[in-house]
Amino acid sequence: MTGAADAITVRRSRANVWLALVLGALALAFFVFTFFQDWS
Amino acid sequence: MATAEAAHHEHYHPGGLMRWVTTTNHKDIGTLYLVFALTMFFVGGAMAMVIRAELFVPGLQVVNPHLFNQMTTMHALVMIFGAIMPGFVGFANWMIPMMIGAPDMALPRLNNWSFWILPFAFTMLLSSLLTAGGGPASGWTLYAPLSTQGGMSVDMTIFAVHMMGISSVLGAINIIVTIFNMRAPDMSLMRMPLFVWTWLITAFLLIAVMPVLAGVVTMLLTDRHFGTAFFDPAGGGDPVMFQHIFWFFGHPEVYILILPAFGIISEIIPTFSRKPLFGYSSMVLATAAIAFLSFVVWAHHMFTVGMPLTGELFFMYSTMLIAVPTGVKVFNWVSTMWRGSMSFETPMLFAVAVVFLFTIGGLSGLMLAITPADFQYHDTYFVVAHFHYVLFSGSTMAMMGAAYYWLPKWTGHMYDEKLGQLHFWLTAVFFNVTFFPQHFLGLAGMPRRIPDYALQFTEFNVISSLGAFGLGLSQILFAYVVIKCVRGGAKATDKVWDEPRGLEWTVPSPAPYHTFETPPASIPSRT
């Protein structure tokens, strides 16, 4: 693999993890919002 | 030492069982999901056979009412969370990377984990049947206060639902990240196959609503064991609130169960009509519109619970609005077939049947959306007929069509066309024999989830049960055709069909273990 291709792979896997974390945080927020809502 | 070195080598693959336990390959994980879904399809199907055996004639013959309730509850949970959802994830794992020119899913280890949660979740769920007092019997909706009063099987179900939810959310995250970050350079969003589009939208629905289900069952758990009173009027709570929160998850869930099927149909029909899909961008927009509307219609599941008139009107009209984007889709499928050079191999037979039969389910859905009419239909067999037309002849038959469509690409062998067509006709005929009479039973007032019925319902129930036994037996043929195709058969060409469109048909059959390690040089035209 060339250096440029390596750099693209690393950039892409970092972007993958960041996007996954954002989506995971979103899911967690929906759970927290449901459970800790003031339902009274 | 040599083995240890080999283990660290990037091309080392363990064999046997460990290959499947440790795999991070999207094709392996796709296969695992599909095998799991087919297994659960037979487990849930066996429960359906028990239900139909009990309802064969009036009176109580086969099971006691409590076990009957457990069977209806478990049949739904197993089919929805064990068969249909993992089935679609299996197709997504196999096809999305190949369709967008990616080497694998974006997060392969997460992918492995998403799958391997499921067998444990379902072992937990199914073993609850063996607990003292039996399995959950409150219906798959787990309505409070029935579920707040159940035995420890309800706690096991809650834990299983949490695990399924985690599996689904992780799978959805993986699919979104793969589609956003891993597409081949020329694969713009509006050039993606419809199956990829429908899954992208489905994945967002999953992330939005599975946590809501997790929230509501956690509230159930704390009501049962930790002194809260979310759903207990004695403590200031409200059981109707459970229904609102549950269906805020439940209705988008309905679209989670059908949108990938729409994507599959949108792949199969153009291939066998030898024409590009009619109205590609309107298909994408219609899918997005259905997903958006799915968040504002939930209370149509609970019209009879008592709501302000304004609420009933709002949910009635918003539900009817869904017919518009759905109608756009049906129009586009029919227009794709119009003047096409059509042929009717097994996948196309399933696809055409889905368009026809799903539309029947859509129309009965419109009838149920009319609030005053729903007061008559609610909790009757009309509802059971409606959602089986949507979930069996919609989702399940679409997956069967997809299996026949992509099996040659996966295995390198053509399936047995004669047996495939026989399976289709047996399924289509027995499905209608089973479920069409249930419309009449429901309109005449036969309630659902009751093991006995009044004598005047006997004839239609006998027909329905005979159809169900035939439908169940026909699926053994499906398993046989699939296994036969995996083990051998006529060699499939790389293109498999006459004029398929898309990147997956540019790789050899069977698809190599790794595909698109370098991005494809060009994207085939979809027009």
Side-chain angles (χ1 to χ4, degrees), chain A residues 1 11-32 34-37 39-40, chain B residues 103 106-107 110 162 169 172-173 176-177 180-183 204 207-209 211-212 214-216 218-219 222 230 241 245:
Chain A
M1 207 183 273
R11 236 188 359 255
R12 190 155 69 174
S13 53
R14 277 194 191 140
N16 289 350
V17 173
W18 276 113
L19 183 52
L21 286 174
V22 169
L23 293 169
L26 198 62
L28 202 57
F30 287 136
F31 173 78
V32 170
T34 305
F35 189 74
F36 291 101
Q37 178 78 259
W39 289 110
S40 57
Chain B
L107 305 147
L110 192 74
H162 275 133
V169 168
I173 289 173
I176 293 173
V177 177
F180 277 163
N181 284 355
M182 304 283 284
R183 296 193 313 278
F204 275 109
I207 288 181
V209 300
V212 176
V216 77
T218 308
M219 290 154 83
T222 58
F230 287 112
M241 190 176 80
I245 307 173

Coordinates of all heavy atoms in Angstrom, one line a residue, chain A residues 1 11-32 34-37 39-40, chain B residues 103 106-107 110 162 169 172-173 176-177 180-183 204 207-209 211-212 214-216 218-219 222 230 241 245:
Chain A
M1 N 0.8 -1.2 0.0 CA 0.0 0.0 0.0 C 0.9 1.3 0.0 O 1.9 1.3 0.7 CB -0.9 0.0 1.2 CG -2.2 0.8 1.0 SD -3.2 0.8 2.6 CE -4.1 -0.7 2.4
R11 N -7.4 8.2 7.7 CA -8.4 9.3 7.8 C -9.8 8.7 7.8 O -10.7 9.1 8.6 CB -8.2 10.2 6.6 CG -8.0 11.6 7.0 CD -8.0 12.7 6.0 NE -8.1 12.3 4.6 CZ -7.2 12.3 3.7 NH1 -5.9 12.6 4.1 NH2 -7.4 12.0 2.5
R12 N -10.0 7.7 7.0 CA -11.4 7.1 6.8 C -11.7 6.4 8.1 O -12.9 6.5 8.6 CB -11.5 6.2 5.6 CG -12.9 5.8 5.3 CD -13.1 5.4 3.9 NE -12.4 4.2 3.6 CZ -12.5 3.6 2.4 NH1 -13.3 4.1 1.4 NH2 -11.9 2.5 2.1
S13 N -10.8 5.6 8.7 CA -11.2 4.9 9.9 C -11.4 5.8 11.1 O -12.3 5.5 11.9 CB -10.2 3.7 10.2 OG -8.9 4.3 10.3
R14 N -10.7 6.9 11.1 CA -11.0 7.9 12.2 C -12.3 8.5 12.0 O -13.1 8.6 12.9 CB -9.9 9.0 12.1 CG -8.7 8.6 12.9 CD -7.8 9.9 13.1 NE -6.5 9.4 13.6 CZ -5.4 9.9 13.3 NH1 -5.3 11.0 12.4 NH2 -4.2 9.5 13.7
A15 N -12.7 8.8 10.7 CA -14.0 9.4 10.4 C -15.1 8.4 10.8 O -16.1 8.8 11.4 CB -14.1 9.8 9.0
N16 N -14.8 7.1 10.5 CA -15.8 6.1 10.9 C -16.1 6.1 12.4 O -17.2 6.0 12.8 CB -15.3 4.7 10.5 CG -15.2 4.5 9.0 OD1 -15.8 5.3 8.2 ND2 -14.6 3.4 8.5
V17 N -15.0 6.1 13.2 CA -15.2 6.0 14.6 C -15.9 7.2 15.1 O -16.8 7.1 16.0 CB -13.8 5.8 15.3 CG1 -14.0 5.9 16.8 CG2 -13.2 4.4 14.9
W18 N -15.5 8.4 14.6 CA -16.2 9.6 15.1 C -17.7 9.6 14.8 O -18.5 10.0 15.6 CB -15.5 10.9 14.5 CG -14.3 11.3 15.3 CD1 -13.0 11.3 14.9 CD2 -14.3 11.8 16.6 NE1 -12.2 11.7 15.9 CE2 -12.9 12.0 17.0 CE3 -15.3 12.1 17.6 CZ2 -12.6 12.5 18.2 CZ3 -14.9 12.5 18.8 CH2 -13.6 12.8 19.1
L19 N -18.0 9.3 13.6 CA -19.4 9.2 13.2 C -20.2 8.2 14.0 O -21.3 8.5 14.5 CB -19.5 8.9 11.7 CG -21.0 8.9 11.1 CD1 -21.7 10.2 11.4 CD2 -20.9 8.7 9.6
A20 N -19.5 7.1 14.2 CA -20.2 6.0 15.1 C -20.4 6.6 16.5 O -21.5 6.3 17.1 CB -19.3 4.8 15.1
L21 N -19.4 7.3 17.0 CA -19.6 7.8 18.4 C -20.7 8.9 18.4 O -21.5 8.9 19.4 CB -18.3 8.5 18.9 CG -17.2 7.5 19.2 CD1 -15.9 8.2 19.5 CD2 -17.6 6.6 20.4
V22 N -20.8 9.7 17.4 CA -21.9 10.7 17.4 C -23.3 10.0 17.3 O -24.2 10.4 18.1 CB -21.7 11.6 16.1 CG1 -23.0 12.5 15.9 CG2 -20.5 12.5 16.3
L23 N -23.4 9.0 16.5 CA -24.7 8.3 16.3 C -25.0 7.5 17.6 O -26.1 7.5 18.1 CB -24.6 7.3 15.2 CG -24.5 8.0 13.8 CD1 -24.2 6.9 12.7 CD2 -25.8 8.7 13.4
G24 N -24.0 6.9 18.3 CA -24.2 6.2 19.5 C -24.6 7.2 20.6 O -25.5 6.9 21.4
A25 N -24.0 8.4 20.6 CA -24.4 9.4 21.6 C -25.9 9.8 21.4 O -26.7 10.1 22.3 CB -23.5 10.6 21.5
L26 N -26.2 9.9 20.1 CA -27.6 10.3 19.8 C -28.6 9.2 20.3 O -29.6 9.6 20.9 CB -27.7 10.4 18.2 CG -28.9 11.1 17.6 CD1 -28.9 12.6 18.0 CD2 -28.9 11.0 16.1
A27 N -28.3 8.0 20.1 CA -29.1 6.9 20.6 C -29.2 6.9 22.1 O -30.3 6.8 22.7 CB -28.6 5.5 20.1
L28 N -28.1 7.2 22.8 CA -28.1 7.2 24.2 C -29.0 8.4 24.7 O -29.7 8.3 25.7 CB -26.7 7.4 24.7 CG -26.4 7.0 26.2 CD1 -26.8 5.5 26.4 CD2 -24.9 7.2 26.5
A29 N -28.9 9.5 24.0 CA -29.7 10.7 24.3 C -31.2 10.4 24.2 O -31.9 10.8 25.1 CB -29.3 11.9 23.4
F30 N -31.6 9.7 23.2 CA -33.0 9.3 23.1 C -33.4 8.4 24.3 O -34.6 8.6 24.8 CB -33.2 8.6 21.8 CG -33.2 9.5 20.5 CD1 -32.5 9.1 19.4 CD2 -33.8 10.7 20.5 CE1 -32.5 9.9 18.3 CE2 -33.8 11.5 19.4 CZ -33.1 11.1 18.3
F31 N -32.6 7.5 24.7 CA -32.9 6.7 25.8 C -33.1 7.5 27.1 O -34.0 7.4 27.8 CB -31.8 5.6 26.0 CG -32.0 4.8 27.3 CD1 -33.0 3.8 27.3 CD2 -31.3 5.1 28.4 CE1 -33.2 3.0 28.5 CE2 -31.5 4.4 29.6 CZ -32.4 3.3 29.6
V32 N -32.1 8.4 27.3 CA -32.1 9.2 28.5 C -33.3 10.1 28.5 O -34.0 10.3 29.5 CB -30.8 10.0 28.6 CG1 -30.9 11.1 29.7 CG2 -29.6 9.1 28.9
T34 N -36.2 9.6 27.1 CA -37.4 8.8 27.3 C -37.5 8.5 28.8 O -38.5 8.7 29.5 CB -37.4 7.5 26.6 OG1 -37.2 7.7 25.2 CG2 -38.7 6.7 26.8
F35 N -36.4 8.0 29.4 CA -36.5 7.5 30.8 C -36.6 8.7 31.8 O -37.3 8.5 32.8 CB -35.3 6.6 31.1 CG -35.4 5.9 32.4 CD1 -36.3 4.8 32.5 CD2 -34.7 6.3 33.5 CE1 -36.4 4.2 33.7 CE2 -34.8 5.7 34.7 CZ -35.7 4.6 34.8
F36 N -35.9 9.8 31.6 CA -35.8 10.8 32.6 C -36.7 12.0 32.2 O -36.7 13.1 32.8 CB -34.4 11.3 32.7 CG -33.5 10.3 33.4 CD1 -32.6 9.5 32.6 CD2 -33.5 10.1 34.7 CE1 -31.8 8.6 33.2 CE2 -32.7 9.1 35.3 CZ -31.9 8.3 34.6
Q37 N -37.6 11.8 31.3 CA -38.7 12.8 31.0 C -39.5 13.0 32.2 O -39.8 12.1 33.0 CB -39.5 12.2 29.8 CG -40.7 13.0 29.4 CD -40.2 14.1 28.5 OE1 -40.1 15.3 28.9 NE2 -39.9 13.8 27.3
W39 N -42.7 12.9 33.3 CA -44.0 12.4 32.7 C -45.2 12.8 33.5 O -46.3 12.4 33.1 CB -43.9 10.8 32.7 CG -42.9 10.3 31.7 CD1 -41.7 9.7 31.9 CD2 -43.0 10.3 30.2 NE1 -41.1 9.3 30.7 CE2 -41.9 9.7 29.7 CE3 -44.0 10.8 29.4 CZ2 -41.7 9.6 28.3 CZ3 -43.8 10.7 28.0 CH2 -42.6 10.1 27.5
S40 N -45.1 13.5 34.6 CA -46.2 13.8 35.4 C -47.2 14.8 34.7 O -46.8 15.5 33.8 CB -45.8 14.5 36.7 OG -45.1 15.6 36.4
Chain B
P103 N -14.9 -2.3 0.7 CA -14.3 -3.6 1.0 C -15.0 -4.3 2.1 O -14.9 -5.6 2.1 CB -12.8 -3.2 1.4 CG -12.9 -1.8 1.8 CD -14.0 -1.1 1.0
A106 N -17.9 -0.6 7.8 CA -17.0 0.4 8.3 C -16.4 -0.1 9.6 O -15.2 0.2 9.9 CB -17.7 1.7 8.5
L107 N -17.2 -0.8 10.4 CA -16.7 -1.2 11.8 C -16.9 -2.7 11.9 O -17.9 -3.1 12.5 CB -17.5 -0.4 12.8 CG -17.5 1.1 12.6 CD1 -18.8 1.8 13.1 CD2 -16.4 1.8 13.4
L110 N -17.4 -4.3 15.5 CA -18.7 -4.0 16.1 C -19.8 -4.8 15.4 O -20.7 -5.2 16.0 CB -18.9 -2.5 15.8 CG -20.1 -1.9 16.5 CD1 -19.8 -1.7 18.0 CD2 -20.5 -0.5 15.9
H162 N -33.7 -5.5 25.7 CA -32.5 -4.6 25.8 C -31.4 -5.1 24.9 O -30.8 -4.3 24.2 CB -32.0 -4.5 27.3 CG -32.8 -3.5 28.1 ND1 -33.3 -3.8 29.3 CD2 -33.1 -2.2 27.8 CE1 -33.9 -2.7 29.8 NE2 -33.8 -1.7 28.9
V169 N -29.2 -1.2 17.4 CA -28.6 0.2 17.3 C -27.2 0.1 16.8 O -26.8 0.9 15.9 CB -28.7 0.9 18.7 CG1 -27.9 2.1 18.7 CG2 -30.1 1.2 19.0
A172 N -27.3 -0.6 13.1 CA -27.7 0.6 12.4 C -26.6 1.6 12.3 O -26.4 2.3 11.2 CB -28.9 1.3 13.1
I173 N -25.8 1.8 13.4 CA -24.7 2.7 13.4 C -23.7 2.3 12.3 O -23.2 3.1 11.5 CB -24.0 2.8 14.7 CG1 -24.9 3.5 15.8 CG2 -22.6 3.4 14.6 CD1 -24.3 3.5 17.2
I176 N -25.0 3.1 8.7 CA -25.0 4.5 8.4 C -23.5 4.9 8.1 O -23.2 5.6 7.1 CB -25.6 5.4 9.5 CG1 -27.1 5.1 9.7 CG2 -25.3 6.9 9.3 CD1 -27.7 5.8 10.8
V177 N -22.6 4.5 9.0 CA -21.2 4.9 8.8 C -20.7 4.3 7.5 O -20.0 5.0 6.7 CB -20.3 4.4 10.0 CG1 -18.9 4.8 9.8 CG2 -20.8 5.1 11.3
F180 N -22.1 6.4 4.6 CA -21.6 7.7 4.5 C -20.1 7.8 4.2 O -19.7 8.6 3.4 CB -21.9 8.5 5.8 CG -23.3 9.1 5.9 CD1 -23.8 9.5 7.1 CD2 -24.1 9.2 4.7 CE1 -25.1 10.0 7.2 CE2 -25.3 9.7 4.8 CZ -25.9 10.1 6.0
N181 N -19.4 6.8 4.7 CA -17.9 7.0 4.6 C -17.2 6.0 3.7 O -16.0 6.2 3.4 CB -17.3 6.8 6.0 CG -17.4 8.0 6.9 OD1 -18.0 9.0 6.4 ND2 -17.0 7.9 8.1
M182 N -17.9 5.0 3.2 CA -17.1 3.9 2.5 C -17.5 3.8 1.1 O -17.1 2.8 0.4 CB -17.4 2.6 3.3 CG -17.1 2.5 4.7 SD -15.3 2.4 5.0 CE -15.0 0.7 4.7
R183 N -18.3 4.7 0.5 CA -18.7 4.6 -0.9 C -17.6 4.7 -1.8 O -16.6 5.5 -1.5 CB -19.8 5.6 -1.2 CG -21.1 5.4 -0.4 CD -22.2 6.3 -1.0 NE -21.9 7.6 -1.3 CZ -21.8 8.6 -0.4 NH1 -22.1 8.4 0.8 NH2 -21.5 9.8 -0.8
F204 N -31.6 5.1 10.4 CA -31.9 6.3 11.2 C -33.1 6.0 12.1 O -33.2 6.5 13.2 CB -32.1 7.5 10.3 CG -30.8 8.2 10.0 CD1 -30.2 8.1 8.7 CD2 -30.1 8.9 10.9 CE1 -29.0 8.7 8.4 CE2 -28.8 9.5 10.7 CZ -28.3 9.4 9.4
I207 N -32.1 4.0 15.1 CA -31.4 4.8 16.1 C -32.3 5.7 16.9 O -32.2 6.0 18.1 CB -30.2 5.6 15.5 CG1 -29.1 4.7 15.1 CG2 -29.7 6.7 16.4 CD1 -28.0 5.3 14.4
A208 N -33.4 6.2 16.2 CA -34.3 7.1 16.8 C -35.3 6.3 17.8 O -35.6 6.9 18.8 CB -35.1 7.9 15.8
V209 N -35.7 5.1 17.4 CA -36.8 4.5 18.2 C -36.4 3.3 19.1 O -37.1 3.1 20.1 CB -38.0 4.2 17.4 CG1 -38.6 5.4 16.7 CG2 -37.7 3.1 16.4
P211 N -34.0 3.2 21.2 CA -33.8 3.7 22.6 C -35.1 4.0 23.3 O -35.2 3.9 24.5 CB -32.9 4.9 22.4 CG -32.3 4.7 21.1 CD -33.3 4.0 20.2
V212 N -36.1 4.4 22.6 CA -37.4 4.7 23.2 C -38.0 3.4 23.7 O -38.6 3.3 24.8 CB -38.4 5.3 22.2 CG1 -39.8 5.5 22.8 CG2 -37.8 6.6 21.7
A214 N -36.2 0.8 24.6 CA -35.4 0.5 25.8 C -35.9 1.3 27.0 O -35.9 0.8 28.1 CB -33.9 0.7 25.5
G215 N -36.2 2.5 26.8 CA -36.7 3.4 27.8 C -37.9 2.9 28.5 O -38.0 2.8 29.7
V216 N -38.9 2.5 27.6 CA -40.2 2.2 28.2 C -40.1 0.8 28.9 O -40.8 0.6 29.9 CB -41.3 2.2 27.1 CG1 -41.3 1.0 26.2 CG2 -42.7 2.4 27.7
T218 N -37.5 -0.2 30.4 CA -36.8 0.1 31.7 C -37.7 0.6 32.7 O -37.7 0.3 33.9 CB -35.6 1.0 31.4 OG1 -34.8 0.5 30.4 CG2 -34.7 1.2 32.7
M219 N -38.7 1.5 32.2 CA -39.7 2.0 33.1 C -40.5 0.9 33.7 O -40.9 0.9 34.9 CB -40.6 3.1 32.4 CG -39.8 4.4 32.1 SD -40.5 5.2 30.6 CE -41.8 6.1 31.4
T222 N -38.5 -0.8 36.4 CA -38.4 -0.1 37.7 C -39.8 -0.1 38.4 O -39.9 -0.1 39.6 CB -37.9 1.4 37.5 OG1 -38.8 2.1 36.6 CG2 -36.5 1.4 37.0
F230 N -44.6 4.6 37.2 CA -44.9 5.2 35.9 C -46.2 4.9 35.3 O -46.9 5.7 34.8 CB -43.8 4.8 34.9 CG -42.4 5.4 35.1 CD1 -41.4 4.6 35.5 CD2 -42.2 6.7 34.9 CE1 -40.1 5.1 35.7 CE2 -40.9 7.2 35.0 CZ -39.9 6.4 35.4
M241 N -50.1 5.7 29.3 CA -48.8 6.3 28.9 C -47.9 5.3 28.4 O -47.1 5.5 27.4 CB -48.2 7.0 30.1 CG -47.0 7.8 29.8 SD -46.3 8.7 31.2 CE -45.4 7.4 32.0
I245 N -45.9 5.6 24.7 CA -44.5 5.5 24.5 C -44.2 4.3 23.7 O -43.3 4.4 22.8 CB -43.7 5.5 25.9 CG1 -44.1 6.7 26.8 CG2 -42.2 5.6 25.6 CD1 -43.5 6.6 28.2

